[in-house]
Amino acid sequence: MNKQIKTAIRAIQPKILYFGTPVVLLSTLNEDGTTNLTPMSSAWALRNRIVLGLGEGGKGAANLLRCGECVVNLPDASHWEQVERLARLTGANPVPDYKQELYRFEHDKFSAGSFTPLASDVVRPQRVEECPLQIEAKVVNLYNTDGFTIIEVEAQKVHAHEAIMLNEQHINPTAWNPLIYNFRHYFGLDQELGKTFKSET
C-alpha cells in the first residue's frame, strides 16, 4: 500500500511573482526611427493576441504608446548572457530618477547585446535575427495600472528559424528551447543557466 507523502504548505509574501515565463526582447520604434530593445518576462499569448507587461516609465512602453507597433522576439536559452547584457540598459534619455542607481542610457541596444537587426515586413521596428521566433504585432489595447503598462498586441506576421519548424503551421517543441525567467534566474527547459543582477537568491 502506497503512503501519500504530505507536503507542508505555508502562506508566504514573495517579493516577485516571476514564476517561470518566456523572456521576450521587445522591439519598439524610437522617435528617430531606430529600434529600441527591451528585455522583459511578463508576456503570455492566447491565439493571435499577446499580453505584455512593462514598467510605466520605460522607453518600450513610451514607444508603444506613441507608435503602436512592436516585434515580440523570443530568444532561446543560448542567448541568456546577451539578454542579461541589456538588463542594466535603458533607451530613456535622460535616465528616469528611479532608474539612475542601477541603469544607464544606451541608444544602440543591438550592438550592446551583440544582436543583429533585421527589417520587418509589416511593422516599422526591426526584428532580432538571432531569435528563433519573431512576431510582428500591433497594439489593440493598452492601459496603465500601479506603475505598470499592460499592452495587448495582435500578431500580424510570425517568422521562425527553420531549425525549430515542423512545417509552416507547427513549431517542433523538441527543437525549441525558449529562455525562461524563473524567479529572476534564467533557465532553458532543462537546467538553470544563470541569474539576473536583480536576483536575491
Side-chain angles (χ1 to χ4, degrees):
M1 180 175 165
N2 292 333
K3 288 187 177 180
Q4 192 172 19
I5 298 173
K6 289 189 176 181
T7 301
I9 300 173
R10 292 189 298 156
I12 63 171
Q13 295 180 323
K15 292 178 73 173
I16 44 123
L17 284 175
Y18 296 118
F19 44 76
T21 49
V23 171
V24 166
L25 284 177
L26 186 70
S27 300
T28 58
L29 194 71
N30 292 320
E31 292 88 344
D32 63 0
T34 60
T35 296
N36 182 65
L37 291 180
T38 302
M40 56 174 294
S41 63
S42 298
W44 62 275
L46 185 65
R47 299 190 72 146
N48 67 337
R49 300 289 176 98
I50 304 168
V51 178
L52 309 168
L54 290 169
E56 197 173 341
K59 187 64 176 173
N63 284 348
L64 279 174
L65 278 166
R66 194 187 67 260
C67 81
E69 297 180 335
C70 65
V71 183
V72 178
N73 302 283
L74 291 153
D76 68 25
S78 70
H79 299 121
W80 83 266
E81 291 176 295
Q82 290 171 266
V83 170
E84 181 58 16
R85 285 205 295 270
L86 299 179
R88 288 183 183 265
L89 307 179
T90 177
N93 188 21
V95 178
D97 290 344
Y98 74 95
K99 283 190 169 186
Q100 286 184 0
E101 186 176 343
L102 293 175
Y103 297 82
R104 69 173 177 83
F105 168 71
E106 175 57 58
H107 184 70
D108 187 357
K109 302 273 194 74
F110 281 96
S111 293
S114 299
F115 289 113
T116 307
L118 193 63
S120 296
D121 290 347
V122 295
V123 300
R124 289 168 291 172
Q126 294 168 307
R127 295 179 280 143
V128 178
E129 183 175 11
E130 289 79 4
C131 289
L133 279 173
Q134 308 148 15
I135 306 167
E136 299 184 43
K138 294 188 177 181
V139 174
V140 292
N141 198 5
L142 183 151
Y143 69 95
N144 295 325
T145 177
D146 297 328
F148 293 95
T149 303
I150 298 173
I151 308 109
E152 180 186 354
V153 300
E154 183 176 54
Q156 305 295 310
K157 193 165 190 178
V158 180
H159 308 265
H161 288 189
E162 288 185 354
I164 67 165
M165 293 172 57
L166 286 172
N167 52 51
E168 288 188 3
Q169 291 186 314
H170 296 94
I171 299 298
N172 182 354
T174 64
W176 170 226
N177 187 20
L179 181 59
I180 303 296
Y181 197 59
N182 180 8
F183 288 100
R184 289 185 171 157
H185 292 242
Y186 295 107
F187 285 79
L189 292 181
D190 51 357
Q191 62 182 354
E192 181 179 356
L193 302 167
K195 61 183 180 180
T196 182
F197 74 94
K198 287 186 176 181
S199 174
E200 297 177 358
T201 59

